[in-house]
Amino acid sequence: MASKGRVFSGARPTGRQHLGNYLGAIKNYVALQKDYDCIYCIVDLHALTTLDTTQNLRENTYEMALDWLAAGIDPQKTILFVQSNVPEVTELHTILSMVTPLGKLTDLPTFKEKIRENPNNINYGLVGYPVLMSADILLYKANAVPVGVDQAPHIEFAREVVRTFNHRYNTNVLVEPEMKVTEVPKVLGIDGKNKMSKSLDNHIEIAATPEETLQRVMKMVTDPARQRRSDPGNPDVCNVFTLHKVFSSPEEVEMVNRECRRAGIGCVEDKQLFAKNLNAALAPFREKRAELGRNPDYVFDVLRDGAKRARVIAQQTMAEVRAAIGLF
Ligand code: AMP
Ligand code: TRP
């Protein structure tokens, strides 16, 4: 049995996952199963804060769960569930909202970014997004939370909520979580500039076909200063090179590093090589995904069973929280 503590993470149901999700989060979800009791959650309530993620919830939940399972999440040991199937989280959200100063929420860089992106839908839930996220983590008394680095302000927020709550009610029922990042905590998109994300359409899906993958890779922006094939390039500022380091052999990484700098290899060849290695690395995952996809009921069964197991823990924590506050 795992023993280093409990891990919790969540992600909004955005459907098929991209390389950013995979390298920034999913790889860690899978690796941490070895030493921790893990709980992974598809946060459908969080998805309701923005209009685009409110569409096709059921299909997006299914596609995402399929990616996670095919990537190596093992539902025998790990709990995999959908947030809204464990309604205790909404009660904890309400309770935590009463120990949260409003200014702290509106000051968060993640909130400012969201209102910039969604000027026509600045809703109450969007302000409370980090409170609901804290409730997710604290309901399961998670010690560690694997996420991409974009989530750092939210994890720090959750830690502060724990301290305020425990202090106000003179208790220690809530546990301060720590953030865990991978070696690539922020993956850039094919524009080579912004964080890889579906909303910017600069992403590469891990479940794409080899042909689609090659097409997207060929659009990747490399060293912007390298205009012609005969110009030497700088791998240090090239997003393709960053990803080569993850997916290509040390010999190839060394070759690309050397040859790019003296214009011995062009960006086209370089990207073809990268796409080949990326497709090879993802082939076992894609095969497993196709196999699991032949039996959709399996995925729904996993999620139902996960919710049942999660709910036992959630109800226990809520009993302790209510007692600590002195709710009647
Ligand atoms: P999202 O799809 O935005 O809900 O993110 C799900 C998880 O993937 C979170 O842990 C994010 O931090 C992580 N993630 C999303 N995009 C990236 C990216 N471009 N680089 C690294 N991690 C990411
Ligand atoms: N805010 C996270 C994101 O946008 C998703 C999330 C919700 C989450 N609840 C969580 C992540 C709990 C970790 C733990 O990606």
Side-chain angles (χ1 to χ4, degrees), residues 11-12 14 18 20-21 24-25 147-148 150-151 185-187 195-196:
R12 293 163 309 142
T14 49
H18 54 66
N21 302 131
V147 277
D150 59 315
Q151 295 300 312
K186 181 178 177 184
V187 178
K195 182 182 92 167
M196 184 176 284

Side-chain angles (χ1 to χ4, degrees), residues 8-12 43 46 129 133 136-137 145 147 150-151 154:
F8 181 97
S9 194
R12 293 163 309 142
V43 293
H46 277 104
Y129 186 109
M133 174 163 164
D136 282 328
I137 299 167
V145 185
V147 277
D150 59 315
Q151 295 300 312
H154 289 158

Side-chain angles (χ1 to χ4, degrees), residues 64-128:
M64 190 156 116
L66 201 53
D67 271 349
W68 286 8
L69 290 166
I73 288 181
D74 175 2
Q76 295 294 327
K77 352 184 229 202
T78 292
I79 296 178
L80 176 59
F81 77 106
V82 177
Q83 186 184 35
S84 63
N85 287 347
V86 181
E88 282 75 10
V89 75
T90 58
E91 184 187 356
L92 186 56
H93 165 262
T94 300
I95 288 170
L96 297 180
S97 74
M98 316 306 184
V99 299
T100 302
L102 186 57
K104 217 172 228 172
L105 293 171
T106 51
D107 279 350
L108 280 171
T110 42
F111 175 67
K112 291 182 181 154
E113 196 179 306
K114 281 272 155 90
I115 62 174
R116 221 176 20 249
E117 288 167 1
N118 304 279
N120 299 321
N121 184 25
I122 304 174
N123 58 74
Y124 179 57
L126 208 50
V127 187

Side-chain angles (χ1 to χ4, degrees), residues 11-289:
R12 293 163 309 142
T14 49
R16 291 177 168 227
Q17 302 286 277
H18 54 66
L19 275 180
N21 302 131
Y22 178 64
L23 297 178
I26 300 170
K27 250 187 143 174
N28 248 356
Y29 297 175
V30 174
L32 290 166
Q33 294 180 114
K34 195 166 146 294
D35 296 322
Y36 291 82
D37 296 312
C38 297
I39 306 180
Y40 299 124
C41 180
I42 299 176
V43 293
D44 56 348
L45 298 175
H46 277 104
L48 306 181
T49 56
T50 52
L51 293 175
D52 56 331
T53 47
T54 303
Q55 310 301 312
N56 308 319
L57 274 179
R58 211 176 153 74
E59 186 189 333
N60 284 339
T61 299
Y62 171 76
E63 292 287 334
M64 190 156 116
L66 201 53
D67 271 349
W68 286 8
L69 290 166
I73 288 181
D74 175 2
Q76 295 294 327
K77 352 184 229 202
T78 292
I79 296 178
L80 176 59
F81 77 106
V82 177
Q83 186 184 35
S84 63
N85 287 347
V86 181
E88 282 75 10
V89 75
T90 58
E91 184 187 356
L92 186 56
H93 165 262
T94 300
I95 288 170
L96 297 180
S97 74
M98 316 306 184
V99 299
T100 302
L102 186 57
K104 217 172 228 172
L105 293 171
T106 51
D107 279 350
L108 280 171
T110 42
F111 175 67
K112 291 182 181 154
E113 196 179 306
K114 281 272 155 90
I115 62 174
R116 221 176 20 249
E117 288 167 1
N118 304 279
N120 299 321
N121 184 25
I122 304 174
N123 58 74
Y124 179 57
L126 208 50
V127 187
Y129 186 109
V131 185
L132 184 57
M133 174 163 164
S134 301
D136 282 328
I137 299 167
L138 306 181
L139 192 54
Y140 300 97
K141 302 192 181 187
N143 308 101
V145 185
V147 277
V149 77
D150 59 315
Q151 295 300 312
H154 289 158
I155 305 296
E156 189 44 45
F157 176 84
R159 293 167 60 86
E160 285 170 27
V161 169
V162 171
R163 293 195 288 268
T164 317
F165 179 93
N166 284 350
H167 182 258
R168 178 166 311 175
Y169 296 110
N170 192 24
T171 178
N172 57 8
V173 291
L174 298 186
V175 174
E176 264 189 68
E178 267 174 42
M179 171 165 167
K180 272 205 185 291
V181 292
T182 63
E183 63 278 22
V184 201
K186 181 178 177 184
V187 178
L188 299 182
I190 58 180
D191 53 24
K193 210 168 54 199
N194 298 296
K195 182 182 92 167
M196 184 176 284
S197 89
K198 276 205 169 173
S199 51
L200 296 174
D201 191 22
N202 66 0
H203 61 293
I204 298 175
E205 288 177 359
I206 52 176
T209 63
E211 297 72 32
E212 285 163 351
T213 306
L214 176 64
Q215 256 177 28
R216 297 291 272 190
V217 167
M218 295 317 285
K219 292 202 186 110
M220 286 177 77
V221 173
T222 53
D223 170 7
R226 191 176 188 194
Q227 303 281 335
R228 284 171 296 267
R229 169 69 177 78
S230 53
D231 292 342
N234 179 5
D236 299 335
V237 298
C238 176
N239 188 29
V240 180
F241 186 65
T242 304
L243 294 177
H244 261 303
K245 288 191 256 182
V246 181
F247 293 102
S248 302
S249 69
E251 296 75 30
E252 283 168 323
V253 171
E254 150 68 20
M255 182 281 287
V256 168
N257 190 19
R258 186 183 62 237
E259 294 302 319
C260 171
R261 287 180 202 278
R262 58 182 195 100
I265 181 174
C267 293
V268 170
E269 277 166 88
D270 175 48
K271 289 195 258 190
Q272 282 164 341
L273 177 66
F274 169 62
K276 179 168 98 47
N277 293 339
L278 178 61
N279 280 326
L282 292 174
F285 157 79
R286 289 169 177 170
E287 232 166 82
K288 180 90 199 278
R289 191 183 201 281

